mmCIF file of all heavy atoms in Angstrom:
data_model
loop_
_atom_site.group_PDB
_atom_site.id
_atom_site.type_symbol
_atom_site.label_atom_id
_atom_site.label_comp_id
_atom_site.label_asym_id
_atom_site.label_seq_id
_atom_site.Cartn_x
_atom_site.Cartn_y
_atom_site.Cartn_z
ATOM 1 N N GLU A 375 97.032 76.092 62.128
ATOM 2 C CA GLU A 375 96.020 76.922 61.448
ATOM 3 C C GLU A 375 94.694 76.937 62.225
ATOM 4 O O GLU A 375 94.073 78.004 62.359
ATOM 5 C CB GLU A 375 95.740 76.564 60.007
ATOM 6 C CG GLU A 375 96.928 76.721 59.133
ATOM 7 C CD GLU A 375 98.025 75.717 59.217
ATOM 8 O OE1 GLU A 375 97.859 74.638 59.905
ATOM 9 O OE2 GLU A 375 99.135 75.990 58.687
ATOM 10 N N LEU A 376 94.264 75.775 62.699
ATOM 11 C CA LEU A 376 93.077 75.711 63.537
ATOM 12 C C LEU A 376 93.199 76.369 64.835
ATOM 13 O O LEU A 376 92.295 77.074 65.283
ATOM 14 C CB LEU A 376 92.678 74.206 63.701
ATOM 15 C CG LEU A 376 91.456 73.941 64.567
ATOM 16 C CD1 LEU A 376 90.240 74.763 64.078
ATOM 17 C CD2 LEU A 376 91.079 72.462 64.556
ATOM 18 N N ILE A 377 94.359 76.187 65.481
ATOM 19 C CA ILE A 377 94.553 76.860 66.779
ATOM 20 C C ILE A 377 94.580 78.351 66.615
ATOM 21 O O ILE A 377 93.987 79.117 67.387
ATOM 22 C CB ILE A 377 95.977 76.433 67.361
ATOM 23 C CG1 ILE A 377 95.829 74.973 67.756
ATOM 24 C CG2 ILE A 377 96.358 77.276 68.578
ATOM 25 C CD1 ILE A 377 97.123 74.342 68.289
ATOM 26 N N ASP A 378 95.219 78.880 65.536
ATOM 27 C CA ASP A 378 95.166 80.308 65.209
ATOM 28 C C ASP A 378 93.741 80.852 65.063
ATOM 29 O O ASP A 378 93.368 81.869 65.652
ATOM 30 C CB ASP A 378 95.966 80.613 63.969
ATOM 31 C CG ASP A 378 97.473 80.534 64.154
ATOM 32 O OD1 ASP A 378 97.895 80.339 65.334
ATOM 33 O OD2 ASP A 378 98.210 80.643 63.190
ATOM 34 N N ALA A 379 92.905 80.041 64.265
ATOM 35 C CA ALA A 379 91.545 80.460 63.987
ATOM 36 C C ALA A 379 90.704 80.518 65.269
ATOM 37 O O ALA A 379 89.768 81.217 65.455
ATOM 38 C CB ALA A 379 90.949 79.564 62.991
ATOM 39 N N LEU A 380 90.999 79.567 66.160
ATOM 40 C CA LEU A 380 90.311 79.341 67.420
ATOM 41 C C LEU A 380 90.612 80.460 68.447
ATOM 42 O O LEU A 380 89.720 80.909 69.186
ATOM 43 C CB LEU A 380 90.530 77.928 67.958
ATOM 44 C CG LEU A 380 89.722 77.476 69.104
ATOM 45 C CD1 LEU A 380 88.306 77.140 68.621
ATOM 46 C CD2 LEU A 380 90.368 76.196 69.747
ATOM 47 N N ILE A 381 91.875 80.804 68.499
ATOM 48 C CA ILE A 381 92.346 81.613 69.663
ATOM 49 C C ILE A 381 92.632 83.080 69.350
ATOM 50 O O ILE A 381 92.210 83.970 70.104
ATOM 51 C CB ILE A 381 93.680 81.026 70.282
ATOM 52 C CG1 ILE A 381 93.387 79.578 70.761
ATOM 53 C CG2 ILE A 381 94.102 81.893 71.388
ATOM 54 C CD1 ILE A 381 92.362 79.463 71.834
ATOM 55 N N LEU A 382 93.312 83.313 68.204
ATOM 56 C CA LEU A 382 93.723 84.679 67.914
ATOM 57 C C LEU A 382 92.627 85.719 67.762
ATOM 58 O O LEU A 382 92.739 86.836 68.398
ATOM 59 C CB LEU A 382 94.668 84.732 66.623
ATOM 60 C CG LEU A 382 95.998 84.024 66.876
ATOM 61 C CD1 LEU A 382 96.791 84.079 65.608
ATOM 62 C CD2 LEU A 382 96.783 84.622 67.990
ATOM 63 N N PRO A 383 91.552 85.446 67.006
ATOM 64 C CA PRO A 383 90.449 86.406 67.033
ATOM 65 C C PRO A 383 89.772 86.586 68.373
ATOM 66 O O PRO A 383 89.350 87.714 68.734
ATOM 67 C CB PRO A 383 89.474 85.798 65.995
ATOM 68 C CG PRO A 383 90.250 84.803 65.149
ATOM 69 C CD PRO A 383 91.378 84.327 66.131
ATOM 70 N N LEU A 384 89.744 85.534 69.213
ATOM 71 C CA LEU A 384 89.192 85.678 70.535
ATOM 72 C C LEU A 384 90.001 86.649 71.349
ATOM 73 O O LEU A 384 89.472 87.494 72.044
ATOM 74 C CB LEU A 384 89.151 84.336 71.250
ATOM 75 C CG LEU A 384 88.627 84.308 72.643
ATOM 76 C CD1 LEU A 384 87.228 84.698 72.756
ATOM 77 C CD2 LEU A 384 88.876 82.957 73.294
ATOM 78 N N VAL A 385 91.332 86.476 71.305
ATOM 79 C CA VAL A 385 92.167 87.368 72.044
ATOM 80 C C VAL A 385 92.020 88.845 71.551
ATOM 81 O O VAL A 385 91.862 89.786 72.369
ATOM 82 C CB VAL A 385 93.659 86.929 71.885
ATOM 83 C CG1 VAL A 385 94.674 88.008 72.438
ATOM 84 C CG2 VAL A 385 93.895 85.594 72.452
ATOM 85 N N ASP A 386 91.918 89.063 70.242
ATOM 86 C CA ASP A 386 91.829 90.393 69.718
ATOM 87 C C ASP A 386 90.539 91.053 70.149
ATOM 88 O O ASP A 386 90.503 92.273 70.380
ATOM 89 C CB ASP A 386 91.827 90.274 68.140
ATOM 90 C CG ASP A 386 93.233 89.996 67.654
ATOM 91 O OD1 ASP A 386 94.192 90.093 68.409
ATOM 92 O OD2 ASP A 386 93.316 89.595 66.429
ATOM 93 N N ARG A 387 89.423 90.242 70.342
ATOM 94 C CA ARG A 387 88.170 90.810 70.780
ATOM 95 C C ARG A 387 88.047 90.907 72.281
ATOM 96 O O ARG A 387 87.537 91.917 72.845
ATOM 97 C CB ARG A 387 87.034 89.977 70.257
ATOM 98 C CG ARG A 387 86.819 90.080 68.786
ATOM 99 C CD ARG A 387 85.461 89.523 68.424
ATOM 100 N NE ARG A 387 85.201 89.536 66.982
ATOM 101 C CZ ARG A 387 84.038 89.382 66.396
ATOM 102 N NH1 ARG A 387 82.970 89.210 67.153
ATOM 103 N NH2 ARG A 387 83.947 89.475 65.100
ATOM 104 N N ALA A 388 88.549 89.894 73.001
ATOM 105 C CA ALA A 388 88.285 89.836 74.449
ATOM 106 C C ALA A 388 89.170 90.831 75.209
ATOM 107 O O ALA A 388 88.742 91.477 76.229
ATOM 108 C CB ALA A 388 88.623 88.422 74.881
ATOM 109 N N VAL A 389 90.392 91.076 74.841
ATOM 110 C CA VAL A 389 91.364 91.949 75.584
ATOM 111 C C VAL A 389 90.811 93.393 75.665
ATOM 112 O O VAL A 389 90.816 93.938 76.772
ATOM 113 C CB VAL A 389 92.807 91.836 75.124
ATOM 114 C CG1 VAL A 389 93.611 92.958 75.644
ATOM 115 C CG2 VAL A 389 93.345 90.477 75.396
ATOM 116 N N PRO A 390 90.423 94.036 74.605
ATOM 117 C CA PRO A 390 89.799 95.348 74.799
ATOM 118 C C PRO A 390 88.598 95.356 75.651
ATOM 119 O O PRO A 390 88.378 96.385 76.335
ATOM 120 C CB PRO A 390 89.503 95.776 73.351
ATOM 121 C CG PRO A 390 90.382 94.974 72.476
ATOM 122 C CD PRO A 390 90.500 93.616 73.210
ATOM 123 N N GLU A 391 87.840 94.322 75.664
ATOM 124 C CA GLU A 391 86.661 94.317 76.531
ATOM 125 C C GLU A 391 87.082 94.125 78.007
ATOM 126 O O GLU A 391 86.463 94.809 78.867
ATOM 127 C CB GLU A 391 85.730 93.096 76.154
ATOM 128 C CG GLU A 391 85.117 93.306 74.732
ATOM 129 C CD GLU A 391 84.092 92.232 74.397
ATOM 130 O OE1 GLU A 391 84.058 91.261 75.092
ATOM 131 O OE2 GLU A 391 83.419 92.391 73.345
ATOM 132 N N TRP A 392 88.084 93.381 78.305
ATOM 133 C CA TRP A 392 88.602 93.307 79.609
ATOM 134 C C TRP A 392 89.090 94.645 80.112
ATOM 135 O O TRP A 392 88.961 95.027 81.220
ATOM 136 C CB TRP A 392 89.759 92.236 79.733
ATOM 137 C CG TRP A 392 89.333 90.851 80.055
ATOM 138 C CD1 TRP A 392 89.445 89.759 79.238
ATOM 139 C CD2 TRP A 392 88.778 90.370 81.255
ATOM 140 N NE1 TRP A 392 88.855 88.602 79.868
ATOM 141 C CE2 TRP A 392 88.488 88.977 81.100
ATOM 142 C CE3 TRP A 392 88.378 91.021 82.467
ATOM 143 C CZ2 TRP A 392 87.939 88.213 82.089
ATOM 144 C CZ3 TRP A 392 87.810 90.186 83.434
ATOM 145 C CH2 TRP A 392 87.603 88.822 83.283
ATOM 146 N N GLN A 393 89.755 95.333 79.165
ATOM 147 C CA GLN A 393 90.348 96.707 79.522
ATOM 148 C C GLN A 393 89.177 97.682 79.786
ATOM 149 O O GLN A 393 89.281 98.491 80.678
ATOM 150 C CB GLN A 393 91.257 97.186 78.454
ATOM 151 C CG GLN A 393 92.505 96.409 78.321
ATOM 152 C CD GLN A 393 93.410 96.960 77.169
ATOM 153 O OE1 GLN A 393 93.100 96.833 76.050
ATOM 154 N NE2 GLN A 393 94.549 97.563 77.600
ATOM 155 N N ALA A 394 88.113 97.600 79.003
ATOM 156 C CA ALA A 394 86.961 98.456 79.236
ATOM 157 C C ALA A 394 86.309 98.185 80.577
ATOM 158 O O ALA A 394 85.912 99.097 81.349
ATOM 159 C CB ALA A 394 85.911 98.321 78.098
ATOM 160 N N ALA A 395 86.226 96.869 80.890
ATOM 161 C CA ALA A 395 85.635 96.531 82.205
ATOM 162 C C ALA A 395 86.528 96.997 83.372
ATOM 163 O O ALA A 395 86.070 97.522 84.307
ATOM 164 C CB ALA A 395 85.484 94.981 82.274
ATOM 165 N N LEU A 396 87.829 96.946 83.161
ATOM 166 C CA LEU A 396 88.729 97.386 84.142
ATOM 167 C C LEU A 396 88.637 98.890 84.383
ATOM 168 O O LEU A 396 88.656 99.393 85.469
ATOM 169 C CB LEU A 396 90.223 97.010 83.779
ATOM 170 C CG LEU A 396 91.316 97.377 84.831
ATOM 171 C CD1 LEU A 396 91.015 96.734 86.195
ATOM 172 C CD2 LEU A 396 92.690 96.866 84.305
ATOM 173 N N ASP A 397 88.387 99.691 83.296
ATOM 174 C CA ASP A 397 88.233 101.109 83.327
ATOM 175 C C ASP A 397 87.049 101.356 84.251
ATOM 176 O O ASP A 397 87.088 102.173 85.214
ATOM 177 C CB ASP A 397 87.897 101.682 81.998
ATOM 178 C CG ASP A 397 89.038 101.755 81.124
ATOM 179 O OD1 ASP A 397 90.277 101.622 81.543
ATOM 180 O OD2 ASP A 397 88.862 101.912 79.873
ATOM 181 N N ALA A 398 85.894 100.602 84.041
ATOM 182 C CA ALA A 398 84.705 100.885 84.882
ATOM 183 C C ALA A 398 84.871 100.424 86.306
ATOM 184 O O ALA A 398 84.388 101.042 87.253
ATOM 185 C CB ALA A 398 83.536 100.122 84.186
ATOM 186 N N LEU A 399 85.497 99.277 86.466
ATOM 187 C CA LEU A 399 85.620 98.758 87.845
ATOM 188 C C LEU A 399 86.491 99.634 88.779
ATOM 189 O O LEU A 399 86.245 99.768 89.904
ATOM 190 C CB LEU A 399 86.191 97.335 87.795
ATOM 191 C CG LEU A 399 85.335 96.201 87.269
ATOM 192 C CD1 LEU A 399 86.189 95.016 86.764
ATOM 193 C CD2 LEU A 399 84.246 95.839 88.283
ATOM 194 N N LEU A 400 87.523 100.217 88.191
ATOM 195 C CA LEU A 400 88.402 101.018 88.996
ATOM 196 C C LEU A 400 87.820 102.358 89.285
ATOM 197 O O LEU A 400 88.380 103.149 90.121
ATOM 198 C CB LEU A 400 89.753 101.188 88.291
ATOM 199 C CG LEU A 400 90.668 99.940 88.180
ATOM 200 C CD1 LEU A 400 91.921 100.180 87.395
ATOM 201 C CD2 LEU A 400 90.964 99.472 89.645
ATOM 202 N N GLU A 401 86.670 102.790 88.689
ATOM 203 C CA GLU A 401 85.944 103.906 89.083
ATOM 204 C C GLU A 401 85.119 103.744 90.273
ATOM 205 O O GLU A 401 84.634 104.700 90.948
ATOM 206 C CB GLU A 401 85.053 104.415 87.917
ATOM 207 C CG GLU A 401 85.820 104.954 86.725
ATOM 208 C CD GLU A 401 84.909 105.425 85.621
ATOM 209 O OE1 GLU A 401 83.687 105.318 85.810
ATOM 210 O OE2 GLU A 401 85.385 106.003 84.629
ATOM 211 N N LEU A 402 84.900 102.495 90.711
ATOM 212 C CA LEU A 402 84.069 102.194 91.892
ATOM 213 C C LEU A 402 84.873 102.467 93.162
ATOM 214 O O LEU A 402 86.041 102.114 93.272
ATOM 215 C CB LEU A 402 83.611 100.774 91.939
ATOM 216 C CG LEU A 402 82.695 100.328 90.719
ATOM 217 C CD1 LEU A 402 82.542 98.806 90.746
ATOM 218 C CD2 LEU A 402 81.402 101.017 90.703
ATOM 219 N N PRO A 403 84.284 103.115 94.111
ATOM 220 C CA PRO A 403 84.966 103.551 95.344
ATOM 221 C C PRO A 403 85.484 102.357 96.150
ATOM 222 O O PRO A 403 86.471 102.512 96.913
ATOM 223 C CB PRO A 403 83.943 104.428 96.187
ATOM 224 C CG PRO A 403 82.608 103.898 95.590
ATOM 225 C CD PRO A 403 82.835 103.581 94.138
ATOM 226 N N GLU A 404 84.870 101.201 96.015
ATOM 227 C CA GLU A 404 85.279 100.059 96.843
ATOM 228 C C GLU A 404 86.414 99.271 96.255
ATOM 229 O O GLU A 404 86.985 98.411 96.833
ATOM 230 C CB GLU A 404 84.078 99.103 97.018
ATOM 231 C CG GLU A 404 83.496 98.462 95.790
ATOM 232 C CD GLU A 404 82.372 99.277 95.216
ATOM 233 O OE1 GLU A 404 82.427 100.430 95.248
ATOM 234 O OE2 GLU A 404 81.383 98.533 94.851
#
Side-chain angles (χ1 to χ4, degrees):
E375 292 77 13
L376 177 52
I377 292 174
D378 287 354
L380 190 71
I381 302 297
L382 292 179
L384 175 66
V385 173
D386 289 342
R387 291 195 181 196
V389 167
E391 293 183 351
W392 271 114
Q393 291 181 291
L396 185 54
D397 289 343
L399 289 162
L400 288 177
E401 290 182 356
L402 299 173
E404 64 266 41

